[in-house]
Structure formats: C-alpha cells, structure tokens
Amino acid sequence: LPRDIGGKAHHLHWMVNQDLRVPHTWVLPTDAPEPDQATVAAQFGYTGSWAVRSSAVGEDGDTTSWAGQFDTLLDVEASDVAAAIGDVRRSAENPSAAAYREHTGAAAAGMAVIVQRMVRPVVSGVSFSRNPITGLNEVVIESVAGRGDALVGDGITPERWIERWGGWSERPDGDAVLPEEVAADIAEQTRSIAGLFGGPVDLEWVWDGDEVWWVQVRPITGIEDIGI
C-alpha cells in the first residue's frame, strides 16, 4: 500500500488482512487525480449505493484524530460517486478543518478518499474495547436503528450495552433494537479485534439482520489504562 492513503484507509486495510468482515472498499490516494464518471462506472457499475469517506493523512492517528472535521457522504448512487469524491476532497479546506489545524498545530491534511459499498443497516453503532470516558476494562456498545449517522447527526439517544466480566452491567430497558445475541457477538469481536490491534479500539459496525460488518477502526487515545 502507498503511504498516502491516510490513517482511516490504512486501518481498513488492516481489518481486511485480519479476515474481518469489511464491505468492498476502494481507496483513491492523496496524489491520484479525481476520477471521471467513466472510470467510476468501470470500477463500481451502476448498482447499489456507496459511502464516500475521508481518509486524510493523520486522520484517526495516535496524536490527532480530525474527528468530525471532514465530509462523509452516505447512500451515494454510483452515478454520483465521482462528484462525491470531489466534495470529500474539498472538505479538507473547509472552515472547521482550518480551525482544527490552527488549534492543534496539525499540518495540512492530504486527502485520500474511501469509497465503500453501503451495507443495508438494520442496526448500526459503535463499540469500544475500553470505556472511553473512564478507561475501565469493559466493552461499551452504542446502537441505533438504521444508519449510524443518526448517532451524531439526528440527536437520537442510542441504546447502550456494557459488557464486563462476561455479563451485562448495563443494557437497554424493554425491547432493544439490537438483539442480545448480536450485542454479545459484537462485544466478543470487539475484544478480539483489540487484542489483534494491540491496544484499545473504537469501532464502527453495521448489522444487516444476518451479519455484523466492520466499517472503521481507530485507536482510543487519552484514556488511563487502569486495568480493572
């Protein structure tokens, strides 16, 4: 892999190499010209829809995350992928990214772009191999019905599951959108992925009603490893 595909794409490539279930993904490096529609059509055809995501150099890194600074476009039809790639690339220069650079002293971010097949989401969410607030050795799962951007964009309060010492220390009251057996599978896989990764991880996942798909992994930084 070239060094100019950004942190997010490198982490996706790592997951693929671990034989984790990752949707079909294509990456446009930072120095590649923007593809025209004919190139996109040859790569993807005209069926299904795609997620077009940023993968800036330094994004999801150990010292700078750039979280929320760049565009992510979901449910993009194949005929619109070329334009979406341009939109995501230009988001590297938006006012939010400029303010982040000024605040953190980060260098300008070269922008690679991830194009990933959309999984039809029954439930989406995030999982953490350690509690990202307290550092406790417990798996925290947050889930919502449908697409995962509802976690941050629509103001929806997610369900929360917390698995510790082989049992649930917290789980949703009443009927949950995420079946308990799926939550248990996500918790087990989250711990396994953290072991392979060599440190605490923050994961994004989608459940299509049959299988759990992993769409992003990043290190959890800034927590105290208290080990209990």
Side-chain angles (χ1 to χ4, degrees):
L1 271 178
R3 295 178 59 83
D4 54 0
I5 64 169
K8 194 179 294 183
H10 272 290
H11 290 154
L12 277 169
H13 184 256
W14 176 85
M15 286 200 292
V16 170
N17 281 345
Q18 305 306 312
D19 293 325
L20 299 173
R21 188 175 289 106
V22 176
H24 175 68
T25 301
W26 178 71
V27 180
L28 186 75
T30 58
D31 58 355
E34 289 184 17
D36 58 24
Q37 191 54 41
T39 302
V40 170
Q43 180 71 30
F44 304 116
Y46 284 99
T47 59
S49 59
W50 301 82
V52 184
R53 306 174 185 270
S54 63
S55 183
V57 174
E59 190 173 2
D60 291 352
D62 293 330
T63 58
T64 56
S65 72
W66 292 92
Q69 304 305 315
F70 309 123
D71 288 352
T72 291
L73 305 176
L74 302 179
D75 277 321
V76 178
E77 296 301 319
S79 58
D80 297 323
V81 165
I85 288 170
D87 290 341
V88 170
R89 272 195 162 169
R90 285 186 290 275
S91 71
E93 302 304 324
N94 66 29
S96 176
Y100 184 90
R101 283 196 298 271
E102 182 176 352
H103 177 70
T104 62
M111 180 63 76
V113 181
I114 296 166
V115 182
Q116 187 174 70
R117 182 173 287 282
M118 286 288 297
V119 175
R120 291 295 105 198
V122 175
V123 184
S124 304
V126 296
S127 61
F128 305 89
S129 64
R130 280 185 177 266
N131 190 307
I133 305 300
T134 65
L136 286 171
N137 186 14
E138 57 191 13
V139 175
V140 179
I141 300 169
E142 294 184 344
S143 55
V144 294
R147 283 186 358 187
D149 53 332
L151 277 169
V152 293
D154 296 340
I156 294 175
T157 300
E159 294 180 344
R160 173 169 287 194
W161 303 75
I162 299 180
E163 188 265 357
R164 192 177 188 194
W165 298 330
W168 300 115
S169 61
E170 182 178 333
R171 54 166 299 159
D173 295 328
D175 293 333
V177 299
L178 187 67
E180 182 176 359
E181 63 270 20
V182 179
D185 178 45
I186 290 169
E188 181 179 356
Q189 289 197 62
T190 295
R191 289 192 185 278
S192 175
I193 292 168
L196 294 169
F197 197 80
V201 290
D202 165 0
L203 293 147
E204 293 183 18
W205 52 266
V206 177
W207 181 57
D208 65 5
D210 293 311
E211 305 285 357
V212 175
W213 296 81
W214 301 99
V215 298
Q216 194 165 310
V217 61
R218 62 174 70 90
I220 301 176
T221 59
I223 61 171
E224 184 177 340
D225 188 5
I226 59 178
I228 62 172

